[in-house]
Amino acid sequence: MNLPISFEEVSYFNNEYRGDLIVTKGVLYYFPHTRVKHARYADELGGKDVMPVFELLGNLAPLFGTVPWIRVIADKSIKAGKTLKRTFRPTINSPQIRKIHLWRGNDSSENLQEILNNYIENQKRENLKFDEDSVPKPMRFAINEVENIRFGFKLKFDAKFDNHDFRVNLIHKSLLKKALIEAGFIK
């Protein structure tokens, strides 16, 4: 097994958040990117503010009256497609942090740890926003900070005066176990 490895769309905090779980030698990282409750009700297509215009036009021309329904169907179809992809075609080594150039895919564990540690330290200095779609700041868990690690349906452990739970897709469960063994977290 080659480390580092990332697991995408990992549930955290009883499925309150989804994010990227990165396993390196001796350190786990979690980069939350989605608040599940907000994403469930959020608009996938955008431009929802122009829909009342089409509804008003629907009173004049019946064709425009169907636009909101078509849009709702398209939005729900996109959500269903994302759920199916997340369930049946989960990805590894393609985290969202790639978009901000933190993950290149060819870094050693030590090099990636340095990059991620610097990023997390910079994030700690920024103010946290408290919006309905807010997510926690990225997290880092060194092997010496982790206690009571349990690996079953979820990866659970205690660290930093809190308990943490991560759930990867069942398809990648055995791969996560191998990565945790290689990283020194479990035997």
Side-chain angles (χ1 to χ4, degrees), residues 144-169:
N144 59 351
E145 300 171 341
V146 174
E147 298 175 346
N148 302 325
I149 193 163
R150 299 166 306 282
F151 186 74
F153 183 65
K154 294 180 180 181
L155 168 63
K156 295 181 177 184
F157 57 84
D158 300 328
K160 300 180 180 180
F161 309 106
D162 203 358
N163 56 353
H164 303 274
D165 64 274
F166 300 93
R167 189 176 67 220
V168 300
N169 189 294

Side-chain angles (χ1 to χ4, degrees), residues 54-70:
F54 284 105
E55 290 173 358
L56 289 174
L57 289 174
N59 292 333
L60 301 173
L63 175 64
F64 286 112
T66 62
V67 172
W69 292 102
I70 293 170

Side-chain angles (χ1 to χ4, degrees), residues 3-186:
L3 294 180
I5 187 170
S6 76
F7 299 87
E8 289 77 50
E9 300 293 335
V10 174
S11 295
Y12 172 68
F13 197 66
N14 291 321
N15 199 30
E16 182 71 24
Y17 305 100
R18 278 196 306 267
D20 303 323
L21 180 66
I22 299 171
V23 182
T24 64
K25 291 183 181 174
V27 183
L28 294 175
Y29 296 92
Y30 186 68
F31 288 83
H33 54 67
T34 304
R35 186 165 192 167
V36 175
K37 186 176 182 179
H38 176 71
R40 190 172 293 137
Y41 301 107
D43 191 41
E44 291 288 332
L45 296 176
K48 193 173 188 173
D49 52 338
V50 299
M51 291 316 295
V53 174
F54 284 105
E55 290 173 358
L56 289 174
L57 289 174
N59 292 333
L60 301 173
L63 175 64
F64 286 112
T66 62
V67 172
W69 292 102
I70 293 170
R71 186 180 183 291
V72 168
I73 291 169
D75 185 67
K76 298 298 182 194
S77 297
I78 290 171
K79 283 184 192 277
K82 286 182 176 183
T83 301
L84 290 172
K85 182 181 184 283
R86 200 172 36 250
T87 304
F88 297 109
R89 295 200 63 213
T91 58
I92 59 170
N93 292 333
S94 185
Q96 287 197 10
I97 61 169
R98 176 175 268 164
K99 294 175 186 173
I100 54 175
H101 308 292
L102 294 177
W103 178 275
R104 293 183 288 256
N106 57 358
D107 289 319
S108 67
S109 275
E110 295 79 17
N111 190 24
L112 184 62
Q113 286 175 2
E114 185 177 329
I115 293 167
L116 297 181
N117 290 342
N118 289 335
Y119 179 78
I120 288 173
E121 282 303 314
N122 290 335
Q123 288 295 304
K124 284 181 182 177
R125 291 185 205 113
E126 292 186 19
N127 291 334
L128 186 61
K129 298 175 187 170
F130 293 101
D131 297 328
E132 59 192 20
D133 63 341
S134 295
V135 296
K137 291 184 178 188
M139 298 171 226
R140 177 189 187 278
F141 306 101
I143 198 165
N144 59 351
E145 300 171 341
V146 174
E147 298 175 346
N148 302 325
I149 193 163
R150 299 166 306 282
F151 186 74
F153 183 65
K154 294 180 180 181
L155 168 63
K156 295 181 177 184
F157 57 84
D158 300 328
K160 300 180 180 180
F161 309 106
D162 203 358
N163 56 353
H164 303 274
D165 64 274
F166 300 93
R167 189 176 67 220
V168 300
N169 189 294
L170 290 175
I171 295 170
H172 289 149
K173 186 177 171 190
S174 64
L175 186 60
L176 176 60
K177 185 175 183 177
K178 289 177 187 175
L180 292 170
I181 292 169
E182 178 78 20
F185 284 91
I186 61 174

